[in-house]
Amino acid sequence: WVNHPSGFYHYGGRTIRLSVMPWSRGVYVDLRQYTGKGKPLSRGILLHLDIISKMIPDLVALVHRLEGEDLREPGQKAQIELSYPRDTAPTQS
């Protein structure tokens, strides 16, 4: 979970969550915005495992490219912190 970094949404308690959504015999990745009361919004994306697994290398390369093109000073960048509910924290392998 990440608190929404922009001013308007941040103060409204909006969060962005990355979660797993099992469906039938498959599984999806759900990247979605939630209200301050924990209700999901229609703003999000649902990707099947077959799709996201093919996109991951390009997504990682894109993030590295964006890091190189970002000309903001460190003080201009949003300070993002991840938070996890106690029962859903990722495990270290």
Side-chain angles (χ1 to χ4, degrees):
W1 300 5
V2 175
N3 289 329
H4 201 292
S6 68
F8 178 77
Y9 289 124
H10 176 76
Y11 294 112
R14 294 271 172 95
T15 57
I16 301 169
R17 299 180 190 173
L18 184 63
S19 57
V20 174
M21 179 179 276
W23 185 264
S24 186
R25 296 181 320 182
V27 65
Y28 291 80
V29 170
D30 187 31
L31 178 63
R32 187 154 312 278
Q33 280 190 31
Y34 284 73
T35 67
K37 296 179 181 181
K39 304 272 186 201
L41 298 172
S42 61
R43 293 183 192 112
I45 187 166
L46 190 62
L47 293 170
H48 192 273
L49 172 62
D50 298 344
I51 295 170
I52 194 69
S53 62
K54 294 294 184 186
M55 293 178 74
I56 286 290
D58 290 334
L59 181 59
V60 170
L62 181 62
V63 168
H64 290 303
R65 175 183 166 190
L66 295 175
E67 289 171 336
E69 294 179 9
D70 189 355
L71 301 176
R72 296 174 296 164
E73 297 295 324
Q76 295 174 311
K77 297 179 182 182
Q79 301 300 311
I80 305 296
E81 293 184 27
L82 295 176
S83 63
Y84 300 97
R86 279 186 270 161
D87 60 339
T88 61
T91 56
Q92 300 272 332
S93 7

